């Protein structure tokens, strides 16, 4: 059984809000430790969902999961991309860049058994990218694309044919010159 902590993150992109989270894991026996996280667009959809466990399973299967490691401070810079689709629907995705800095642990040895995790989520810039799908494909575009492919193939074949002819010509010239050089030596 998985456990999840749901945190309502920074929402005001224009003000470049940020959120800082700190976790600790008591007396870990692991050589490496990390916390997995995922970002989804609407906290309201989660809170309105009647089956929150199923909502999280669906979200986990359709979004990327990232991690931040113990003993480091991870700085995540997010940008939001909204795509308007042809059928009127809208999809939203987070793009992120992360940087990691080692935490210099100055605590007494008795407290170092607790692994510390630090993460900062911040908007990369005060803009929301909006993408609109423009589909202009029609049968003529497809035919034109195929013609371009065939033209490129014919040009490549012609180039290969000329290259082979040139290599044969150079080889014949080399073979003609080689006996002459041998005659001059004798």
């Amino acid at each position: 059984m998985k456990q999840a902590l749901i945190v309502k993150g920074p929402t005001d992109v224009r003000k470049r809000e940020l959120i800082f989270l700190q976790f600790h894991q008591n007396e870990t026996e692991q050589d490496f430790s990390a916390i997995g996280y995922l970002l989804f667009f609407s906290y309201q959809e989660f809170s309105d969902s009647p089956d929150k466990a199923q909502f999280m399973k669906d979200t986990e299967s359709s979004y990327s999961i990232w991690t931040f490691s113990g003993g480091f401070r991870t700085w995540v810079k997010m940008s939001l991309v909204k795509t308007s689709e042809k059928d009127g629907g809208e999809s939203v995705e987070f793009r992120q860049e992360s940087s990691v800095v080692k935490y210099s642990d100055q605590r007494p040895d008795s407290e170092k058994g607790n692994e510390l995790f630090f993460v900062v989520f911040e908007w990369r810039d005060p803009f929301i990218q909006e993408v609109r799908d423009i589909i202009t494909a029609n049968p003529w575009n497809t035919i034109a694309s195929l013609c371009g492919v065939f033209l490129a193939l014919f040009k490549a074949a012609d180039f290969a044919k000329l290259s082979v002819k040139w290599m044969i010509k150079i080889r014949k010239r080399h073979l003609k010159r080689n006996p002459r050089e041998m005659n001059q030596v004798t």
Side-chain angles (χ1 to χ4, degrees):
M1 181 173 155
K2 292 184 178 181
Q3 295 181 349
L5 171 67
I6 312 297
V7 178
K8 184 176 181 180
T11 56
D12 196 347
V13 177
R14 304 214 189 288
K15 291 183 182 177
R16 295 183 67 181
E17 284 183 318
L18 63 89
I19 186 170
F20 173 77
L21 301 172
Q22 176 181 341
F23 302 97
H24 69 89
Q25 184 176 0
N26 294 334
E27 301 299 325
T28 180
E29 297 289 327
Q30 301 172 359
D31 291 335
F32 300 96
S33 53
I35 295 176
Y37 69 94
L38 57 88
L39 302 172
F40 57 93
F41 175 64
S42 178
Y43 183 82
Q44 191 64 39
E45 281 182 29
F46 168 74
S47 61
D48 292 346
S49 173
D51 186 2
K52 298 198 181 345
Q54 186 60 41
F55 178 86
M56 288 308 297
K57 285 180 184 176
D58 295 342
T59 303
E60 187 177 17
S61 66
S62 58
Y63 288 92
S64 297
I65 295 178
W66 295 288
T67 59
F68 53 91
S69 300
F72 293 95
R73 187 211 62 199
T74 305
W75 197 282
V76 179
K77 293 193 176 205
M78 307 173 297
S79 59
L80 191 62
V81 179
K82 290 183 180 181
T83 303
S84 301
E85 297 169 3
K86 186 179 179 181
D87 62 0
E90 183 175 83
S91 65
V92 179
E93 84 174 281
F94 284 98
R95 294 193 180 146
Q96 72 170 18
E97 303 166 2
S98 60
S99 59
V100 178
V101 178
K102 173 111 173 73
Y103 170 68
S104 179
D105 198 347
Q106 310 255 335
R107 298 177 296 162
D109 289 337
S110 61
E111 293 179 20
K112 288 187 179 181
N114 294 338
E115 186 78 40
L116 297 177
F117 300 84
F118 305 97
V119 65
V120 178
F121 292 98
E122 177 186 35
W123 294 109
R124 195 185 93 203
D125 49 41
F127 306 107
I128 298 175
Q129 297 177 23
E130 292 189 15
V131 179
R132 288 182 175 73
D133 285 345
I134 300 172
I135 300 173
T136 59
N138 59 41
W140 297 111
N141 288 2
T142 306
I143 292 170
S145 297
L146 287 173
C147 287
V149 168
F150 287 130
L151 182 64
L153 287 173
F154 286 125
K155 290 287 186 184
D158 191 42
F159 177 75
K161 183 176 82 174
L162 290 174
S163 295
V164 169
K165 282 183 179 179
W166 181 75
M167 288 187 327
I168 291 171
K169 185 178 176 181
I170 294 295
R171 177 82 175 143
K172 284 181 180 176
R173 189 180 301 161
H174 177 70
L175 291 175
K176 279 184 183 177
R177 201 178 290 166
N178 205 10
R180 284 186 204 159
E181 291 174 358
M182 294 301 279
N183 288 338
Q184 289 177 357
V185 170
T186 56

